[in-house]
Amino acid sequence: MQVRSALESLTLPPAKFLTSSWPWRSLLYLGSGAVLGVGTGVALAGLTVFGMVFTLAVVGIAALLAVALSGIAVARIERWRLRLVDTVELPDQHRPVAEPGLRAWVRTRLREPATWRELGYTIVLTSILAWLDLIVFAGATWVVTALLCGPVYIRDESIWLTLSGSAAGAVLGIIALYPVTAWAAARAAMTRSILAPRADDDPQLVELTRSRARLVDAFEVERRRIERDLHDGAQQRLVALSMQLGLARLELPDGSPAADPVRRAHDLAKEALAELRELIRGVHPKILTDRGLAAAVREVSDRAPLPVDVDIALPARLPEAVEVTAYFVVVEALANVAKHSGAARAKVVASVAFNRLTVQIRDDGRGGADPARGTGLAGLVDRVDAVGGTVSLASPRGGPTVVHVELPCGS
């Protein structure tokens, strides 16, 4: 599995993780974060005091403007630093300035919501995050170095005691790489969530998001229409045909030349009816409309070729688009489990918290799932993305595989 971030590196086997570059990149990320945060805090404090003292002077106003716009520079550095622990590039959220000149640039930037989010991030960085980075970095470097170098500067203790401290420092250094990488991954996730572009940053993106939502709704309406047409039309005719062929079989005497062809036709009609019912269920399951997501997922789990445990706790019916998306996510994930994982058992867990539906599909198979190697997982990601959700995949070699999906379901 190709590792693209410090978070994914934590799923590697210990030997591969410890010999990879991710722990050291995480250490560098935290160390540079502490330097950036503390340095920025000192600079902003000086500019703020200077601006307040000379409020009525041009230099004072310029200092306060520099404070207000400082988040832009910090965010640019943060986007560059993120590459240390996440290879997925974070795009700039600012729009191009239509007019030339410094005044137009300042006026445009002060009107953008992204500027104030970046300033808020800068304040959080200088007041909290940088100090946490410093604590983790110091604990992983200074304490370990002090233990390792004990025999060099400790002269009054026995050599065995100092050597034992050095051995403890080596073990502690190896163990510390895990919390260092975990905190770096968490820091990167927080930074990305704040500095990532928002829909309200770009009017065209807002309209694109609305258009996508309309397309999703229109597509789901068409699916429902096809399901009704198949259910009320073709299925009913096949049921009538199967009944007529069954009655014909009863009327034919044993040994009649037509008995065998009628029997085969009856069997083919029943097979076609079964396939049509399966097709209707795939287009849009009626149980999902009538009884909701929990009942539909339990029905899918009962039909799966391996045992599937279901733990779904939903307070009420969810929006239709969310239920449909979650249902087909579970269907696709269980299909992948049955085809590729070699698992003996799977589990589906779903719950709602803070206006978000969380669905998790776990199996005990061989692992190694990669969206780049097939269309199943890629299609799942596209389906979730269409309703503004997110997908996370953890599938180390040897398993287990966990697909974690979050869908917004607030009003």
Side-chain angles (χ1 to χ4, degrees):
M1 182 179 66
Q2 183 182 4
V3 177
R4 290 168 292 187
S5 66
L7 181 61
E8 291 183 2
S9 72
L10 293 170
T11 64
L12 293 173
K16 289 186 178 181
F17 171 75
L18 295 174
T19 55
S20 70
S21 62
W22 291 106
W24 311 108
R25 293 168 68 167
S26 300
L27 197 63
L28 179 60
Y29 178 72
L30 296 182
S32 60
V35 173
L36 174 64
V38 174
T40 302
V42 173
L44 291 184
L47 286 172
T48 302
V49 173
F50 185 83
M52 293 176 67
V53 172
F54 299 96
T55 305
L56 300 179
V58 174
V59 291
I61 296 174
L64 294 177
L65 280 176
V67 172
L69 298 172
S70 62
I72 298 175
V74 172
R76 182 167 297 180
I77 297 173
E78 284 291 347
R79 282 192 290 271
W80 177 80
R81 286 197 325 113
L82 268 177
R83 299 177 186 176
L84 290 170
V85 291
D86 195 338
T87 58
V88 180
E89 185 177 355
L90 182 63
D92 193 343
Q93 53 187 333
H94 292 285
R95 299 192 300 271
V97 180
E99 303 175 9
L102 178 61
R103 180 175 297 180
W105 184 87
V106 171
R107 184 169 58 249
T108 301
R109 292 294 176 253
L110 289 176
R111 292 174 179 175
E112 291 179 324
T115 300
W116 303 105
R117 280 203 305 273
E118 290 173 343
L119 178 60
Y121 173 80
T122 301
I123 295 173
V124 174
L125 172 68
T126 56
S127 59
I128 301 175
L129 296 180
W131 301 102
L132 294 176
D133 290 348
L134 183 61
I135 292 172
V136 177
F137 181 82
T141 55
W142 182 78
V143 175
V144 173
T145 303
L147 290 173
L148 286 173
C149 299
V152 176
Y153 63 86
I154 297 179
R155 303 293 185 183
D156 299 334
E157 302 291 342
S158 66
I159 187 64
W160 296 110
L161 183 60
T162 55
L163 288 177
S164 299
S166 297
V171 174
L172 181 61
I174 295 174
I175 296 174
L177 294 178
Y178 279 92
V180 165
T181 306
W183 173 243
R187 275 279 284 110
M190 284 187 284
T191 300
R192 183 175 287 276
S193 66
I194 297 174
L195 299 183
R198 301 291 201 278
D200 56 359
D201 293 331
D202 189 346
Q204 293 182 350
L205 186 58
V206 172
E207 181 57 31
L208 178 62
T209 302
R210 291 173 179 170
S211 299
R212 186 178 65 176
R214 288 194 295 269
L215 285 174
V216 171
D217 291 340
F219 178 67
E220 185 54 36
V221 169
E222 185 63 17
R223 287 169 62 99
R224 295 286 299 276
R225 186 190 66 78
I226 293 172
E227 183 267 337
R228 285 195 303 269
D229 290 346
L230 290 174
H231 184 274
D232 299 336
Q235 181 178 242
Q236 299 303 321
R237 292 187 179 92
L238 272 177
V239 170
L241 174 63
S242 180
M243 291 178 61
Q244 291 297 325
L245 288 171
L247 292 174
R249 287 183 63 183
L250 294 176
E251 295 294 334
L252 289 173
D254 295 337
S256 171
D260 191 55
V262 171
R263 178 186 58 79
R264 289 198 301 268
H266 187 208
D267 293 340
L268 288 174
K270 289 192 291 184
E271 291 175 6
L273 181 59
E275 291 178 1
L276 181 61
R277 284 172 175 164
E278 192 66 26
L279 175 63
I280 293 172
R281 188 182 291 112
V283 172
H284 188 93
K286 187 172 177 59
I287 188 174
L288 180 63
T289 303
D290 295 341
R291 298 175 55 192
L293 180 62
V297 169
R298 290 190 177 93
E299 184 192 46
V300 171
S301 302
D302 291 339
R303 292 188 284 110
L306 75 163
V308 179
D309 299 320
V310 178
D311 182 7
I312 298 182
L314 303 178
R317 291 294 298 268
L318 302 176
E320 183 179 355
V322 174
E323 287 192 334
V324 171
T325 301
Y327 172 81
F328 284 107
V329 162
V330 173
V331 171
E332 182 64 37
L334 290 180
N336 288 336
V337 170
K339 292 178 183 177
H340 309 297
S341 71
R345 197 170 195 89
K347 185 174 184 178
V348 179
V349 180
S351 60
V352 174
F354 304 106
N355 287 331
R356 292 186 73 84
L357 171 65
T358 300
V359 182
Q360 190 175 94
I361 303 96
R362 173 188 292 266
D363 69 72
D364 58 2
R366 65 176 68 96
D370 186 356
R373 293 208 308 261
T375 59
L377 289 172
L380 187 150
V381 172
D382 291 341
R383 183 186 291 274
V384 172
D385 184 64
V387 293
T390 58
V391 179
S392 301
L393 172 68
S395 185
R397 293 289 179 184
T401 295
V402 179
V403 178
H404 184 91
V405 177
E406 292 190 12
L407 301 170
C409 58
S411 58

